[in-house]
Amino acid sequence: MSDDGILHFNPWMDFNDGPPSENPFGCDPDPGQIAVFLDTVFSWCEGLIPLRGFVDKGQGRDGKPHNIWIPADATAPEKLATFAAWANREGAAVYVIPGTVAEQGQARAADVLQMQAVVVDLDAGDIPAKLNHVTRHLGAPALIIESGGRTPEGAAKLHVWWKLTEPAEGDDLVTLCRLRGEIAVKVGGDTHFRSAHQPIRVPGTVYHKHGHQRLVEIREHRAVEVDLADFAERVAGMPPLPGVGFASDHAAPCAKPGIDAVLTTPVREGAVDDWSRFQGASAAIGHYIRLVHEGRLDPFAGWEAICGYNAAMLRPSWPLDRLQAESERLWALHVKRNGPPLLRAAHANAPASPLPTFTLGALLDDTSPMPEDIIGPRVLTPGGLLVLGGAPKVGKSDFLICWLVHMAAGVPFLGFTPPRPLRVFYLQAEIQYHYLRERMQQIALPAAVIAAARDTFIATPKLKILLDAEGVARVAEAIRTALPDAPPDILVIDPIRNLFDGGPEGGGENDNTAMMFFLKDRVEPLREAVNPDAGVILAHHTRKASKQQVKDDPFLALSGASVLRGFYTSGLLMHRPDEDSTVRRLEIELRNGPALPGKLIDKVKGEWVELNPLNERLVRKEAGARLDAERLRKGDVILTILHEEAAAGRLYTTTQFGEAFENKAGLGSKYTIRDRIGVLTTKGQIKFLRDGRPFGMAVVRSRFGYLVVDGMRFGTETQIDPDTGEVLGDGLPVLPSHYKCASTGACLQVENPAIWVYPEGLDD
């Protein structure tokens, strides 16, 4: 005990000096459950875990609280289990602050540095109903724990935990604590968990209140994780439990969601989200029907927008016949309620022309050559639209310029191939002239590429115009002036945001209606004015999305994604999987061709290059390095043990060794040991001896034999050369007779047992 009354943990103190027989209670702690809890609540965290030991009320026992701090590392399960055993003998409950601090003695809310799990304490009322409500709206939790207490109705009190994909700290830690409070308010849970330093019972320890001894027990455990931003959206969308909860200041209204949320939120089948696919489709269709009915959108554009929502947001999408039937039903209902529509003609002054139609036979019989790709393979096709998305400063414009210059030179770039030198018009609205020329001069491009693209790559400096009706006319005239002899093959707009015109309603690029207007009434007329077969590339910013969201569906991060995804023919999205690395990942989505795998790209000596994804560990590098080190450690331990056991007069086959040393020296199960031996034999670090008779062992009839390592000697008796009297060393040398072929895995005979040979390229 220190002077300040704080008990600092030492595994050699009296926490473990009492034998199990001294436990006056029949219930013992469960180290397995303690380990599961620590993995869920602390596995990503660094620092010290604050623990508390309080004597539970109602036992007629007194005792001072005992506070300890243990490191959040691999030693934590054993240390916490030792503390739990001591607490059980004292009739004390074990609590933990579910976050880490920097130093011993720290336990205030301001001291907490990291947390990686969100918890709600359900300790009163209809607990099963509350549990059902939070799991339905917030998703399956990682842990459901029976805390040991009971309600007056006899229901077990519960702690419900959701594990995050990474530890929260700083502002994210504030968000996490706010979410704990919001959940508690909405379902009638314990609101004390608004505070970061609120302690909670540890599962696997013992509850002692009022003479009732129960294990604080894990009821359910799932290996699931959730991104903090995603979880915050779920909490905001979760309505209060009727008759129990209250809406918080940060919660979304419990009425039906706004149309912006509907149009930008994916909905999966099975009603697993806040609203079903039917509710989402009905709301989106109704929104576009109102725009068409009021004359703000022509019918064709309205149907295109509905199809875009269906393709981007419904998982899986509805069949088109169902989508059409639902649209027609809602249209008829809307007209019945609101009267005849004020339809907007798509092209009021253009004469009506018959729609092109083709029979199945005509389509099957047409074997004419396919149109030549503008950029292959099918990345940009004639009349196609490609959207290149990326967060600011990810290198999108630099990548785009290098790509376009290569296309203008007719030279392949990162696997993207032009059929010939292309005419490129680069309408950019971010970089002023002097800085544009500086960037062009700094980009590392081969001299031959620059020479070939000098006259076919046309760029504008930063423009102060909108791509409205006047802007379209001015840009079209600029293109015709810059490329008087032939129209452009590629028309580029970089970025959409700086030239965006959302139409009469003035919406931004996140507004689906405004985005559809920009694409149909601005981009398409510009293409038609200069070259209807030109490919269009739009550079676009992404909205803020979590790494998990980008991993699950990267193109959903595009602003105005639901309309864009239903409109473009190709999508490219550049992002950094690891913010500490310069490596970018280029995701690719094609409408007019087979799927292309994503690419890992980076700038090396000023040039963009494609990396081999098999050689790059992009995420959890530290965890991967620890696993690599552990594999090497186990290999070294196996080699050392084989040396020592041979010196002690024992040889082993693979099976015998695995069974003899299972769970010893940290080697794990016999299957793990066999796997490591298999790797070591393939690498030539272990070979085999078939005939063990010189060492008092039997001849092995199995495929391989006794395990032999370089320099192995059997026994400790000193060996002396009878001819020269030279001391040869202790023990008889054990030389291999066979080895495992690194290429085929076959057991082959060693040519010279006295010379240890490693397979070329496989030795460590």
Side-chain angles (χ1 to χ4, degrees):
M1 182 81 68
S2 64
D3 295 338
D4 57 2
I6 298 172
L7 185 59
H8 299 290
F9 183 78
N10 183 328
W12 302 109
M13 292 176 67
D14 63 351
F15 289 140
N16 56 2
D17 63 359
S21 60
E22 292 185 17
N23 176 14
F25 310 108
C27 191
D28 290 314
D30 184 344
Q33 295 196 45
I34 290 173
V36 170
F37 174 76
L38 288 172
D39 179 73
T40 302
V41 181
F42 294 101
S43 56
W44 312 132
C45 294
E46 297 178 348
L48 299 177
I49 303 171
L51 294 167
R52 304 287 178 264
F54 299 108
V55 173
D56 267 330
K57 298 178 181 178
Q59 302 180 83
R61 304 175 60 145
D62 294 325
K64 295 182 179 179
H66 291 284
N67 306 329
I68 68 168
W69 285 258
I70 63 175
D73 57 21
T75 66
E78 181 180 357
K79 291 180 178 179
L80 181 47
T82 301
F83 183 60
W86 166 84
N88 191 33
R89 295 194 302 270
E90 298 296 319
V94 177
Y95 288 80
V96 65
I97 294 175
T100 52
V101 298
E103 300 177 4
Q104 293 198 11
Q106 293 182 341
R108 299 174 303 167
D111 297 328
V112 177
L113 300 179
Q114 291 184 327
M115 284 182 167
Q116 70 173 51
V118 181
V119 64
V120 60
D121 181 3
L122 306 179
D123 58 357
D126 189 349
I127 291 179
K130 295 180 179 182
L131 177 62
N132 179 66
H133 190 75
V134 295
T135 56
R136 181 162 61 92
H137 291 283
L138 304 183
L143 288 177
I144 299 177
I145 296 169
E146 294 185 6
S147 65
R150 298 288 187 268
T151 66
E153 296 78 18
K157 298 181 179 181
L158 302 178
H159 300 158
V160 186
W161 294 87
W162 290 267
K163 183 179 180 180
L164 302 178
T165 55
E166 57 186 358
E169 51 190 18
D171 292 340
D172 286 343
L173 187 59
V174 175
T175 299
L176 186 150
C177 293
R178 174 178 61 79
L179 295 178
R180 298 200 312 186
E182 285 190 20
I183 298 169
V185 167
K186 289 187 174 185
V187 298
D190 187 346
T191 57
H192 289 92
F193 284 91
R194 285 194 182 100
S195 300
H197 68 306
Q198 178 66 21
I200 193 167
R201 288 183 187 266
V202 176
T205 64
V206 181
Y207 171 98
H208 296 281
K209 273 191 178 181
H210 306 294
H212 299 291
Q213 285 80 46
R214 302 188 189 99
L215 191 68
V216 181
E217 190 167 13
I218 296 176
R219 177 190 290 184
E220 295 181 20
H221 171 231
R222 300 177 183 86
V224 295
E225 300 175 0
V226 64
D227 179 79
L228 180 62
D230 290 343
F231 193 73
E233 292 180 2
R234 297 181 193 176
V235 174
M238 182 177 73
L241 183 62
V244 176
F246 301 91
S248 69
D249 294 339
H250 301 277
C254 58
K256 68 178 183 179
I259 190 61
D260 286 341
V262 169
L263 296 179
T264 58
T265 304
V267 192
R268 296 166 290 174
E269 67 179 353
V272 297
D273 299 301
D274 288 343
W275 55 86
S276 67
R277 287 192 304 161
F278 179 81
Q279 291 171 312
S282 296
I285 292 170
H287 169 69
Y288 291 118
I289 281 176
R290 284 191 295 275
L291 296 180
V292 173
H293 186 270
E294 296 167 4
R296 296 161 60 189
L297 202 63
D298 69 80
F300 177 79
W303 173 244
E304 287 280 328
I306 291 171
C307 291
Y309 171 86
N310 180 53
M313 296 294 115
L314 299 189
R315 313 291 174 79
S317 302
W318 274 6
L320 286 181
D321 56 349
R322 181 182 179 187
L323 191 69
Q324 183 176 1
E326 183 63 11
S327 300
E328 291 174 352
R329 183 185 71 82
L330 292 177
W331 173 260
L333 184 62
H334 191 79
V335 170
K336 182 178 179 181
R337 291 176 177 173
N338 299 279
L342 179 62
L343 293 179
R344 171 184 173 183
H347 300 284
N349 299 323
S353 58
L355 296 176
T357 58
F358 303 95
T359 65
L360 174 62
L363 294 172
L364 294 175
D365 295 340
D366 186 354
T367 58
S368 59
M370 292 294 293
E372 190 175 44
D373 294 341
I374 297 175
I375 300 177
R378 301 288 178 90
V379 175
L380 186 61
T381 53
L385 175 71
L386 184 150
V387 174
L388 171 63
K393 307 303 180 184
V394 76
K396 180 172 68 272
S397 293
D398 188 281
F399 169 83
L400 183 58
I401 290 172
C402 290
W403 185 17
L404 294 175
V405 172
H406 279 78
M407 297 302 99
V411 176
F413 177 75
L414 301 180
F416 302 130
T417 307
R420 51 179 171 76
L422 303 175
R423 294 174 297 278
V424 178
F425 189 87
Y426 181 41
L427 178 65
Q428 72 89 26
E430 275 193 320
I431 309 171
Q432 295 171 323
Y433 169 76
H434 294 291
Y435 306 101
L436 176 63
R437 67 181 176 90
E438 180 184 54
R439 171 174 286 193
M440 291 293 189
Q441 293 165 9
Q442 290 175 345
I443 292 177
L445 291 168
V449 170
I450 294 175
R454 289 186 68 90
D455 300 321
T456 53
F457 175 85
I458 310 295
T460 66
K462 182 177 182 179
L463 300 177
K464 296 181 180 180
I465 65 170
L466 282 181
L467 203 59
D468 52 13
E470 179 185 355
V472 168
R474 291 180 62 189
V475 171
E477 181 58 31
I479 294 173
R480 286 190 286 266
T481 302
L483 296 167
D485 299 327
D489 298 298
I490 299 177
L491 172 61
V492 186
I493 298 174
D494 180 17
I496 290 177
R497 176 179 297 172
N498 291 9
L499 296 165
F500 189 82
D501 174 30
E505 302 300 322
E509 71 248 34
N510 291 316
D511 184 298
N512 285 276
T513 304
M515 178 61 75
M516 179 58 75
F517 176 88
F518 179 73
L519 296 173
K520 295 288 293 182
D521 290 52
R522 297 297 181 246
V523 176
E524 288 296 328
L526 177 59
R527 179 186 2 221
E528 290 292 325
V530 294
N531 180 10
D533 291 328
V536 174
I537 298 178
L538 303 180
H540 195 27
H541 292 309
T542 54
R543 61 183 177 86
K544 186 176 181 181
S546 68
K547 291 182 180 179
Q548 188 62 38
Q549 286 176 319
V550 173
K551 179 180 178 181
D552 292 342
D553 193 343
F555 295 96
L556 192 59
L558 293 171
S559 299
S562 62
V563 166
L564 274 174
R565 293 189 76 181
F567 200 89
Y568 65 57
T569 57
S570 306
L572 272 66
L573 191 132
M574 181 186 290
H575 65 97
R576 277 196 175 101
D578 186 346
E579 291 300 326
D580 295 328
S581 171
T582 60
V583 176
R584 286 83 156 177
R585 183 169 178 85
L586 196 64
E587 309 288 354
I588 307 172
E589 183 176 54
L590 303 183
R591 294 277 189 269
N592 292 343
L596 293 179
K599 297 175 181 286
L600 292 179
I601 59 176
D602 198 2
K603 291 199 75 172
V604 178
K605 297 180 180 179
E607 294 188 21
W608 288 96
V609 296
E610 184 173 359
L611 307 177
N612 185 345
L614 298 179
N615 297 336
E616 182 74 8
R617 176 179 280 137
L618 291 180
V619 296
R620 300 193 64 189
K621 291 185 178 181
E622 294 182 1
R626 288 196 297 270
L627 293 174
D628 292 342
E630 176 62 9
R631 283 189 285 269
L632 292 175
R633 184 196 70 82
K634 287 180 178 178
D636 291 341
V637 169
I638 290 172
L639 298 177
T640 301
I641 291 176
L642 287 172
H643 268 288
E644 295 173 349
E645 289 294 298
R650 292 182 288 271
L651 300 179
Y652 296 90
T653 64
T654 299
T655 300
Q656 290 170 334
F657 187 88
E659 293 176 351
F661 292 95
E662 182 176 42
N663 293 328
K664 293 182 180 179
L667 292 179
S669 73
K670 61 182 180 181
Y671 305 106
T672 302
I673 295 173
R674 290 178 191 174
D675 288 343
R676 298 314 309 158
I677 290 176
V679 172
L680 294 172
T681 56
T682 297
K683 292 184 176 183
Q685 293 180 293
I686 295 178
K687 297 184 181 181
F688 304 98
L689 173 65
R690 287 276 182 84
D691 189 357
R693 287 177 297 180
F695 308 101
M697 314 292 287
V699 176
V700 175
R701 303 296 181 187
S702 66
R703 180 186 176 193
F704 294 107
Y706 297 107
L707 303 175
V708 181
V709 297
D710 191 11
M712 177 187 282
R713 304 185 75 86
F714 186 85
T716 58
E717 184 178 348
T718 302
Q719 304 296 312
I720 299 176
D721 189 317
D723 296 327
T724 64
E726 179 185 0
V727 177
L728 302 177
D730 294 334
L732 294 172
V734 184
L735 301 178
S737 62
H738 292 78
Y739 70 98
K740 182 179 178 181
C741 178
S743 301
T744 65
C747 185
L748 304 178
Q749 191 165 354
V750 173
E751 293 183 6
N752 186 349
I755 300 176
W756 195 280
V757 179
Y758 292 93
E760 185 176 352
L762 291 179
D763 57 303
D764 289 334

